Amino acid sequence: FRIIASDYIMVAVLVPLSARLSQIAPNIRMEIIQPGETSVAELEQGKADLLITPEPYLEAWHPSESLFEEKQVVVGWSGNPVFRDGLSEEEFFAAGHVSVVFGSARVQAFADSHLSHMGKQRRIEIIVTSFASVAWFLQGTSRLAVLHERLARAILDRFDLSCIDLPFPF
């Protein structure tokens, strides 16, 4: 199966699925492709079998099903004082951030897309093309990122990171 999914979806969904499949269907093979501006076209042309993406990125005419809801959290180096003292909305937007975009069209990840719809914008210092890359640019800095809670929990200890709730309704 060719599946279009972010590295976050790999951690949250596809890694556990592959472990289960290795037991119950060991001959199934998966190829995971990073999402980008051609993801919908690849699905429609039969170049991919499945697209796993946040609901706002779906096309209305595609059959879809909700897999789960995910909370977004603020992630940063555990030595950053905001994880000890608390983080206000003003401090959140004043801080430098790491952001994720996909493909050559630089499609924003859900967090920044949703913030834009809310009329808010972060001060982006670093842009990466995968969620897994974010942690490397937080370690030892005062930068922040907004990540999916499942992914954040999976990487916290490996990178000496902490996470807290966003300081405003999201």
Side-chain angles (χ1 to χ4, degrees):
F1 293 94
R2 294 188 78 201
I3 302 169
I4 301 171
S6 70
D7 52 335
Y8 152 66
I9 291 295
M10 285 189 259
V11 171
V13 176
L14 299 177
V15 169
L17 174 64
S18 71
R20 177 91 171 107
L21 288 175
S22 70
Q23 297 170 359
I24 62 171
N27 292 322
I28 289 185
R29 288 181 239 152
M30 292 189 299
E31 177 183 358
I32 294 51
I33 304 162
Q34 277 284 92
E37 62 276 359
T38 62
S39 294
V40 170
E42 290 177 36
L43 183 67
E44 290 177 348
Q45 295 165 7
K47 294 179 180 176
D49 301 299
L50 180 64
L51 169 62
I52 304 176
T53 189
E55 189 174 4
Y57 299 101
L58 297 174
E59 296 296 343
W61 60 88
H62 289 155
S64 64
E65 183 174 325
S66 179
L67 294 177
F68 56 86
E69 290 187 15
E70 181 71 279
K71 179 179 177 181
Q72 301 283 308
V73 294
V74 179
V75 180
W77 175 48
S78 62
N80 185 334
V82 302
F83 295 101
R84 181 187 63 240
D85 303 336
L87 177 67
S88 70
E89 183 172 351
E90 294 76 24
E91 291 169 325
F92 173 85
F93 287 106
H97 287 258
V98 180
S99 181
V100 179
V101 300
F102 297 105
S104 60
R106 299 172 48 118
V107 176
Q108 289 181 324
F110 175 78
D112 286 308
S113 175
H114 190 64
L115 284 169
S116 291
H117 285 99
M118 294 172 65
K120 299 176 183 274
Q121 187 174 357
R122 300 187 290 161
R123 189 169 65 82
I124 305 299
E125 291 182 353
I126 307 284
I127 297 173
V128 295
T129 58
S130 72
F131 293 108
S133 302
V134 170
W136 295 96
F137 294 96
L138 298 175
Q139 187 70 37
T141 76
S142 60
R143 288 186 203 106
L144 302 174
V146 178
L147 292 177
H148 313 82
E149 187 173 32
R150 282 180 180 91
L151 179 61
R153 298 277 177 221
I155 65 172
L156 290 181
D157 293 337
R158 296 172 195 232
F159 286 92
D160 190 25
L161 300 176
S162 293
C163 72
I164 55 177
D165 289 338
L166 283 153
F168 50 88
F170 190 70

